[in-house]
């Protein structure tokens, strides 16, 4: 079981203390093995053609440990090309 809890959050406002507050609240409410080890704030989550969150893309983002902004830009670009017409 090599899975580690990671959180991706879409925030409506720019709150510099958001990550700290999430870590604190998770520390109060969750057992240690359930607490997220990383918290990422993104503008939009990647979506599949069925408008479900694309967890594979999120796993790639965590595994690559690359530039999350670059991956997020790709998600946004892919959403604009989404044939379902549900892109923002």
């Amino acid at each position: 079981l090599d899975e580690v809890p990671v959180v991706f959050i879409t925030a409506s406002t720019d709150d510099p203390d958001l990550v700290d507050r999430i870590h604190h609240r998770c520390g109060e409410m969750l057992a240690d093995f359930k607490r997220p080890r990383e918290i990422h704030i993104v503008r939009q989550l990647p979506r599949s053609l069925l408008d479900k969150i694309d967890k594979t893309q999120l796993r790639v983002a965590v595994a690559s440990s690359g530039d999350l902004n670059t991956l997020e830009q790709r998600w946004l670009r892919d959403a604009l090309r989404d044939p379902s017409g549900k892109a923002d």
Side-chain angles (χ1 to χ4, degrees):
L1 306 212
D2 294 334
E3 294 188 1
V4 176
V6 176
V7 174
F8 285 86
I9 297 173
T10 57
S12 58
T13 61
D14 187 20
D15 182 358
D17 298 329
L18 182 61
V19 172
D20 292 333
R21 288 188 296 127
I22 291 169
H23 272 298
H24 178 73
R25 186 67 173 162
C26 288
E28 291 177 344
M29 303 296 292
L30 300 173
D32 184 55
F33 72 96
K34 292 183 179 181
R35 292 182 198 153
R37 302 299 184 245
E38 298 177 30
I39 297 176
H40 302 282
I41 299 175
V42 296
R43 288 176 282 174
Q44 183 174 349
L45 294 170
R47 300 257 176 201
S48 70
L49 291 176
L50 298 175
D51 202 31
K52 295 182 178 182
I53 294 173
D54 191 344
K55 295 177 192 173
T56 303
Q57 288 296 321
L58 295 176
R59 288 185 186 102
V60 167
V62 171
S64 71
S65 60
D67 183 19
L68 186 59
N69 288 329
T70 302
L71 292 171
E72 188 178 359
Q73 290 298 324
R74 189 176 73 207
W75 299 338
L76 292 170
R77 185 179 63 242
D78 290 347
L80 290 175
R81 283 191 253 157
D82 181 7
S84 71
K86 295 185 179 184
D88 295 327

